[in-house]
Amino acid sequence: MENFDQIELDILNKLKNINDRSSLDLFKTEVFGKKGSITELFKKIVSLDQNKKKDYAAKLNELKQKVEKTIKTRFIEFDQVEINKKLKSEKIDVTLPGRAFFSGKIHPVSQVIDEVTSIFSEIGFSVEEGPDVENEYYNFSALNTPKNHPARDMHDTFYLDHSKELLLRTHTSPVQIRTMLNSKPPFKIIAPGRTYRCDSDQTHAPMFHQLEGLHIDKNINMGHLKGCLYYFVKKFFEIDKVKIRFRPSHFPFTEPSAEVDIGYRIQDGKIKIGEGDKWLEILGCGMVHPKVLKNVKVNPKEYQGYAFGVGIDRLAMLKYGINDLRAFFESDIRWLEFYGFDPLDVPTNYRGLSR
Ligand code: DAH
């Protein structure tokens, strides 16, 4: 009869030396598979003498159970090791503070452009755009600004070539010309955008922003211009009463021309717009010059209207109490954190943490 004790010892020794799950799988087949060592021992039973059968089968069954149990335990061990390994590498520390979410800020200039655009859209103005690099014709000639006009001077204008054909637009007024050449009257547009002049001090930057307005139709007069600007100033500065002064001025592309001042006073170190006895210039405007209309093939006898040009940066400085224009364009993130605006569509629970 087989030495079951020896067989058991051999099997258990082999099992001890197995170190991974797949080797254990293999070993299980070696023992219990179709041609496994224990399976073979079972096959022998039929050929045994009747008197030996019982004892043999009992011992074999006992061996089988022991080996099965040990193999099972080892499987559980390997699984446990695997789980522990996973737990360690995929550990989530729920006590860690959340990762900070920094939301961007909207630059005051972008904010003011949005505000101004929505104010004018409410009264029927649509938005037009023009290129920053303009040619001499749209920027000056078509706007009735002759060759010897001081605005054409090198000290004011960034020219891009020697022939002074290409330049960085000095105002948004060329968008008037482009718009009128592109379609037929009536026109009722605003054009916000970047403008450039050789200038730099506390209130002037070589790049700044303007908003152009143009309204051309039959029977448009200066009363319409006044009404439009009153409406705009009240809405923009969120005040009910406002003092506005139209001061006679000169622009080559308007006749008559005016500069518009708004009344203000200083209260507790802060500027109060709309009241008081001080005046602050905010824009230039006038009735579009007949020569400009002729240049864009609009009959001045049939159509006329007004135009205006506002400094957007100036508006932002006034409304939001910012006193150095140059800081607008220095891209200092701390400045933007302070003076910038939260995007409206950011849900409150996503508000960025402050730096
Ligand atoms: N383009 C002028 C400037 O930059 C501003 C201006 C004045 C625009 C009168 C106009 C206007 O449309 O009618 O100084």
Side-chain angles (χ1 to χ4, degrees), residues 334-353:
R334 294 161 303 175
W335 183 89
L336 194 57
E337 281 285 328
F338 186 79
Y339 285 110
F341 294 82
D342 281 326
L344 287 178
D345 54 353
V346 173
T348 41
N349 56 340
Y350 262 113
R351 274 287 153 76
L353 305 176

Side-chain angles (χ1 to χ4, degrees), residues 170-173 176 197 210 212-213 251 253-254 284-286 307-309:
T170 58
H171 49 181
T172 41
S173 304
Q176 289 188 30
R197 280 180 213 173
Q210 281 193 343
E212 195 75 13
F251 298 103
F253 33 89
T254 42
C285 62
F308 55 87

Side-chain angles (χ1 to χ4, degrees), residues 105-210:
K105 292 273 180 155
I106 291 177
H107 195 285
V109 169
S110 309
Q111 170 76 16
V112 167
I113 290 178
D114 285 352
E115 289 176 20
V116 167
T117 306
S118 83
I119 291 172
F120 280 105
S121 335
E122 277 174 25
I123 51 168
F125 283 83
S126 57
V127 179
E128 289 290 336
E129 278 182 319
D132 290 17
V133 174
E134 261 301 358
N135 59 45
E136 174 284 321
Y137 182 74
Y138 292 114
N139 196 81
F140 293 128
S141 295
L143 286 161
N144 196 33
T145 310
K147 285 260 191 270
N148 57 356
H149 195 278
R152 292 201 173 214
D153 203 275
M154 291 283 274
H155 294 292
D156 278 319
T157 306
F158 290 108
Y159 287 99
L160 299 175
D161 58 357
H162 286 300
S163 60
K164 295 187 172 181
E165 261 304 307
L166 279 184
L167 46 86
L168 293 177
R169 66 177 177 188
T170 58
H171 49 181
T172 41
S173 304
V175 186
Q176 289 188 30
I177 304 300
R178 289 181 173 272
T179 307
M180 291 194 283
L181 280 176
N182 253 340
S183 61
K184 297 253 168 298
F187 304 106
K188 200 172 180 187
I189 60 120
I190 50 164
R194 276 187 289 267
T195 45
Y196 307 83
R197 280 180 213 173
C198 305
D199 221 346
S200 185
D201 60 36
Q202 192 173 343
T203 51
H204 296 90
M207 191 277 296
F208 56 105
H209 298 82
Q210 281 193 343

Side-chain angles (χ1 to χ4, degrees), residues 7 19 26 58 60 62 74 79 81 100 105 121 124-125 160 171 197 202 208 212 218 221 259-260 275 295 311 317 345:
I7 296 174
N19 291 318
L26 214 68
L60 185 54
E62 202 182 312
R74 297 243 49 202
D79 287 348
V81 169
K105 292 273 180 155
S121 335
F125 283 83
L160 299 175
H171 49 181
R197 280 180 213 173
Q202 192 173 343
F208 56 105
E212 195 75 13
K218 292 173 177 168
N221 59 48
E259 275 172 318
V260 171
E275 44 193 283
N295 286 341
M317 290 169 82
D345 54 353

Side-chain angles (χ1 to χ4, degrees), residues 44-104:
K44 270 192 180 170
I45 295 180
V46 274
S47 56
L48 286 176
D49 288 348
Q50 204 54 35
N51 58 344
K52 284 189 183 161
K53 245 184 201 166
K54 207 177 167 194
D55 192 30
Y56 180 93
K59 284 201 165 130
L60 185 54
N61 261 327
E62 202 182 312
L63 171 71
K64 183 195 165 209
Q65 274 164 20
K66 263 194 190 159
V67 175
E68 263 178 355
K69 205 176 156 200
T70 319
I71 289 182
K72 204 173 165 191
T73 320
R74 297 243 49 202
F75 268 123
I76 292 172
E77 271 171 33
F78 286 137
D79 287 348
Q80 202 57 50
V81 169
E82 196 59 28
I83 288 170
N84 285 343
K85 229 202 245 166
K86 267 198 175 166
L87 280 178
K88 242 188 188 164
S89 63
E90 294 169 11
K91 189 163 64 176
I92 297 171
D93 184 351
V94 290
T95 64
L96 271 180
R99 239 176 246 162
F101 170 85
F102 295 110
S103 70

